[in-house]
Every structure is written in C-alpha cells, then in structure tokens.
Amino acid sequence: MGYYDQNDENQNKRKKGHMGYFLAGLGGVIIGALLMLPGSGLLNNDDNEITTEKSTGSESTEQAQQNLTVDVTSAVTNAVDKASDAVVGITNIQETNFWGQGNNAEDSSAEAGTGSGVVYKKDGGKAYIVTNNHVIEGANELEVTLSDGTKLPAELQGSDPWTDLAVIVVDGDKIKTIAEFGKSGKLKPGEPVIAIGNPLGLQFSGSITQGIISGLERTIEVDINEDGQVDWNAEVIQTDAAINPGNSGGALVNMSGQVIGINSMKIAENAVEGIGLSIPIDSVIPIINDIEEFGEVKRAFLGVNLASVEEISQYHQQNTLKLPRKVTSGVAITGVQSNSPASKAGLKEFDVIVGMDNEKIHDVVELRKYLYNEKKIGDKVKIIYYRDGKKETTEVKLSSSEI
C-alpha cells in the first residue's frame, strides 16, 4: 500500500518551478549569445554605432597618452638635439713594446683608453675640443670620433693637470655642431641636467643620462702626482646623472641645451650610488682660453718648494723650523729657486708661511688656491711668515714660471 505525503507533492511542485526558472534563464543566455554573433542580423544599426564610438574613444585615449608623453619629454629631447652632436669620442693611442726584447723589440701603437670631448669653437679652419687632462695624458696619438662615426686625427693644443682640463684641435671641415656654453654660476640645486658622453668606450657613444644638480661648489681633494699627498682641492658640481668611465670630458647640459659643466669623475665606492662630478663651465672658460693662447695655463709664480707643517714631525717643527709651540699649521719652504720672486723678496729655506695678504694659510692647498685663484702675474702679495721663531713680513711681486 502506498502512502501519499503532502510534503512530497509540495517538493515536486518546487522542483518543477525551479526547472522552469532554469529553462527560462537558459533561453535568455542563448538568445543573448545569438544577438552577439557576427552576421546574425540581430544586432541593429544603433548598436553598431555605439560599438564604433567606443572603439574610437579608446583610440583617442591612446593618442592623448602619446601626445602627453611627447610634451613631458620635449624639453629633454630638444636639449639633446641641440647639444649631442657637439660631443665627440676621443681615443688615446700609445706606443707599446709589441714583440721581443732589447734590440729585437718592435714598437706598436694601441688604444690605451677612450673618453669624451666637447666641440666649443671653430676658427681658422680648425675646431677646438675641450676634454679632461686624464683622457689625453700619455698619448702618442689622438683620434676624434664624431657623432656620425667619422674619425679625425687630433693634435694636443695644451693641458692643465691642476684643473684636469685639456684642449685638442681637429680639422674643422666636417664639424657641423658647436656647443653653446651656459652659466654655471646660475645653477640651482634640484635643477634638471643631462650628461652626454661615451661610457665604456665608443660602443655606447652619444649616451644620454638625466638627473639633477645634487650640489654646488663641492670640494674634492686631488692627488695630482700620486704621492699620497693632497695637492689641490677641485671645486665641482655634483649630479646624480650617471657618469661612467668614458664619460670623462663629456658635457653636462641644462634644459636649454647649454653646456654648464665638463664631466670629470665619479665617486665609485661600494657604498656610494649616483655621485657624479663635473667641472663648472665658468671655471673652464679661463683655463681653455689660456691653453688656446699659450698652450698652458699662466699662473702667478712664487718659485718655492713647499710642505704643509701638519705633515712635518713635531721634532722638526721645533728644532728645524724653530716654530713657537702655538704655531701648528702653515707652509714650510723646503727650497727656493734662484732668481725667483720669492728669492728676490728675501724668503729662505725653512721659513714658514702662515698668511698671504689678509688670508690665513694653513696648508699647501690653501696657499695654491689663494695664489692661483686670487692673484695674477705681476700682482704683489704680502707674505707673513716665521723665521727662527719670529714673525716677519715681506712683499713679493709675482711673475710667470718662465721668468
């Protein structure tokens, strides 16, 4: 005997209802799919127009993004277009002992290094290029590579190890672009700049890197003769634009495409990132003017050999120089050239210079900096010094080193 349960009937009704809903939904999905099929004829013209408008709108957005990108970088690209062709590659070629020994040895020329340079002047059929002294140092031959790959032999006009600058000269016929110099004295920290040069050699010639001015009037100690003693304090611009080996002598450029520095070096320590250094163009100009005219930089000359008191032992400070105990800095004269300005003024070996005019002198670097930056050939300078423990003064008329 079967039993009829009212609950079963209700459940069947619910199942039928659910099945109806399912079929209705399935039918809607199928109809929707047919409407979307291409060529079904079920999609009206209005829908076509809407679809076209959406596509056009997407293309307009992409075009707007492209235009926006060009606008943002146009200052950089304009500056690069203006300055990049004035930046050249420089190859330092030196003679090497290629084969054999003694009388059987044969000399051969080989590339010793590469760097960069900036064409800044054309005159009398020649083009003048400024670069770093360390780029051309020791070269038997120099070769310049233009931005289009043209190679030209170059001659050294002159160099200056103190400022690490040099000028070389090439035939000007194929030189089309001359760099425009700006004013490094008007730079501001945070100002965007571009470095142009040949990092790691001519393989990456004309490389462009961008950064900002990280600092102005930075002072870097320089050991010119590599004797372990500081000879000079170079004043440089600090930038985070990438400067790598081969960039030396290249251009640091502002957003107007003007050269505002000659790239010189970078601090390459493991813990350091993004510290590149450039010689300010305001300091470069008088140096290259002297090199053009004289083949060297004309500086005021004393005619003495010097040593910083701080580098001299306490024993010799007291017994050789005979300094008062309160005097712990200054510059000791370790030799006087005959017929020099110092000799004519009566300065002698073991005198200790502690002042020039109204400036205190603590070491050799300060003396050179004051003499080279503040004095000219023919100027007079008052020297304050100690001799045998007594303070003395004398006046020196400065000359050039040739006299």
Side-chain angles (χ1 to χ4, degrees), residues 85-100:
D85 285 349
V87 179
V88 300
I90 298 175
T91 303
N92 182 321
I93 301 170
Q94 298 183 13
E95 289 184 359
T96 58
N97 189 292
F98 181 68
W99 185 261

Side-chain angles (χ1 to χ4, degrees), residues 88-92 113-117 131 135 198 202 246-249:
V88 300
I90 298 175
T91 303
N92 182 321
T114 59
S116 305
T131 184
V135 169
N198 307 309
L202 299 178
N247 272 119
S248 294

Side-chain angles (χ1 to χ4, degrees), residues 88-89 143-153 171 174-175 202:
V88 300
E143 185 178 74
V144 166
T145 304
L146 306 183
S147 59
D148 63 1
T150 301
K151 296 183 181 297
L152 300 172
D171 190 320
K174 295 187 178 181
I175 302 295
L202 299 178

Side-chain angles (χ1 to χ4, degrees), residues 236-299:
V236 293
I237 300 167
Q238 179 190 340
T239 177
D240 66 349
I243 295 175
N244 295 294
N247 272 119
S248 294
L252 191 68
V253 177
N254 62 18
M255 289 300 104
S256 296
Q258 299 171 322
V259 177
I260 45 84
I262 300 299
N263 298 326
S264 181
M265 65 188 93
K266 70 176 292 185
I267 297 178
E269 299 176 6
N270 290 334
V272 176
E273 177 104 16
I275 299 183
L277 304 172
S278 186
I279 306 168
I281 204 65
D282 291 356
S283 301
V284 171
I285 292 172
I287 299 299
I288 61 178
N289 285 344
D290 261 15
I291 292 175
E292 276 186 48
E293 186 174 355
F294 307 112
E296 62 179 358
V297 178
K298 296 287 189 179
R299 292 190 174 96

Side-chain angles (χ1 to χ4, degrees), residues 50-213:
I50 292 171
T51 304
T52 302
E53 287 173 2
K54 287 182 179 178
S55 176
T56 303
S58 176
E59 292 174 0
S60 298
T61 301
E62 291 178 2
Q63 186 64 41
Q65 290 174 344
Q66 291 175 1
N67 289 339
L68 180 60
T69 302
V70 171
D71 289 341
V72 168
T73 60
S74 62
V76 176
T77 56
N78 287 342
V80 170
D81 288 344
K82 181 176 179 179
S84 61
D85 285 349
V87 179
V88 300
I90 298 175
T91 303
N92 182 321
I93 301 170
Q94 298 183 13
E95 289 184 359
T96 58
N97 189 292
F98 181 68
W99 185 261
Q101 295 180 348
N103 294 331
N104 295 322
E106 294 183 9
D107 289 333
S108 177
S109 295
E111 178 182 311
T114 59
S116 305
V118 180
V119 182
Y120 69 91
K121 177 182 177 180
K122 282 179 69 173
D123 184 47
K126 296 181 179 181
Y128 292 79
I129 300 168
V130 58
T131 184
N132 289 139
N133 176 71
H134 73 261
V135 169
I136 57 84
E137 195 169 21
N140 298 110
E141 298 176 45
L142 292 167
E143 185 178 74
V144 166
T145 304
L146 306 183
S147 59
D148 63 1
T150 301
K151 296 183 181 297
L152 300 172
E155 294 182 0
L156 178 64
Q157 181 76 8
S159 63
D160 182 51
W162 295 100
T163 55
D164 193 25
L165 291 170
V167 174
I168 62 176
V169 180
V170 296
D171 190 320
D173 288 345
K174 295 187 178 181
I175 302 295
K176 307 301 180 186
T177 305
I178 307 298
E180 178 184 340
F181 286 166
K183 297 283 187 182
S184 55
K186 294 185 177 181
L187 293 173
K188 298 178 180 179
E191 180 176 338
V193 289
I194 305 161
I196 307 176
N198 307 309
L200 308 181
L202 299 178
Q203 179 182 359
F204 299 102
S205 63
S207 290
I208 312 296
T209 56
Q210 185 180 10
I212 61 170
I213 297 294

